[in-house]
Each structure stands twice: as C-alpha cells, then as structure tokens.
Amino acid sequence: MAELFSADWMNELKDAWNADPEVKDKLAEIGFNSTITCGFKDEEKPRGVFVVVNGECVSAGDYAGETMDWDMRASRADWMKWVEKGIGMAGMGTAFAMGKLKFLQGDFKGMLKDPRMAGPFIKSFGLMKQIGAE
C-alpha cells in the first residue's frame, strides 16, 4: 500500500479512475478537463496532482507547480478516515460546511449542484477507499 498522495498512490488512483466508467465515462460525457491537486491543510503546497482530459486521467504524481483548477485540503486524519471508510454526499457536505475539507481552488458548491459532476466526485472518494493508503 502506497503513502497517501505519493506519486505511487496518485498513479494507483489514476488507474482506478480510468477503470471506473461511473467516473471516467460520466465526466467524458460533459467534457470535463481539470488539474486537481490535494494535500494537507497545514502545508503551503499540495502534495499530489491529477490531470484529467475529457474525463480520463492522463497523468498523476507529485505536485510540481502545475496550475490547478481544484485544490482540496484536509488534515491527514480526515483524509485517512475517508480513505478507510469512504464518504457519501451528506458526509461530504458536512465536511465542507465544518471546514474539514477545504477547497483552496475550485467551486465546490457549484460542483455539488451539478449531478453530472457531483456523482463522479463522490465516486472518486470511493476509489480512494478501494486503493487504501498508508
């Protein structure tokens, strides 16, 4: 099992993403393109980066200064809880409202209002649970 947000972990997530039609294909239907980063709230820069072109993750790895469309941050404890137990739509909304999940870039509220994006987003957290992390 790879370290959370390491290049190996991000690439495992990339493979799981691309293998899941409920994520990749649903986002391809709406022409979703985005550079997504994630990391810890107490750090200046994100740790991992995930580049999506037309729904498919085309690259993933260590963050190296890429311009980001989405930057998600949480404490390590919260990330690990979501990796271990998953999170649903209600839990995601609560985590955002309570400040446990922060979006330093990206329109979380707008995304949640669009079921074409919200469903795959929640499913992507399920992929994190599927691959696990250290």
Side-chain angles (χ1 to χ4, degrees):
M1 197 175 307
E3 175 71 25
L4 183 64
F5 303 136
S6 67
D8 288 342
W9 190 86
M10 295 300 291
N11 277 286
E12 286 182 39
L13 183 59
K14 173 185 171 231
D15 293 343
W17 175 290
N18 289 335
D20 190 325
E22 290 296 312
V23 177
K24 184 183 86 156
D25 295 350
K26 293 291 184 187
L27 291 173
E29 288 174 10
I30 62 169
F32 182 78
N33 300 298
S34 198
T35 298
I36 304 164
T37 60
C38 39
F40 303 118
K41 286 201 278 191
D42 60 347
E43 295 180 347
E44 183 180 330
K45 296 179 182 177
R47 290 191 172 213
V49 63
F50 199 76
V51 179
V52 178
V53 176
N54 200 29
E56 179 179 3
C57 182
V58 296
S59 67
D62 293 325
Y63 176 73
E66 295 86 351
T67 300
M68 59 193 95
D69 300 301
W70 295 89
D71 184 16
M72 299 183 293
R73 304 295 184 93
S75 70
R76 178 173 178 77
D78 283 328
W79 278 119
M80 291 305 293
K81 178 176 66 176
W82 300 326
V83 166
E84 291 167 11
K85 297 180 180 178
I87 190 168
M89 187 68 78
M92 182 74 60
T94 300
F96 178 74
M98 295 178 64
K100 290 185 176 195
L101 178 61
K102 295 210 175 265
F103 286 78
L104 303 185
Q105 288 282 106
D107 180 8
F108 177 75
K109 290 178 184 176
M111 181 266 301
L112 278 187
K113 291 177 183 175
D114 185 346
R116 300 171 310 159
M117 287 181 65
F121 179 72
I122 296 299
K123 293 272 287 171
S124 72
F125 273 75
L127 299 175
M128 293 178 191
K129 180 182 175 189
Q130 180 183 324
I131 64 173
E134 291 180 352

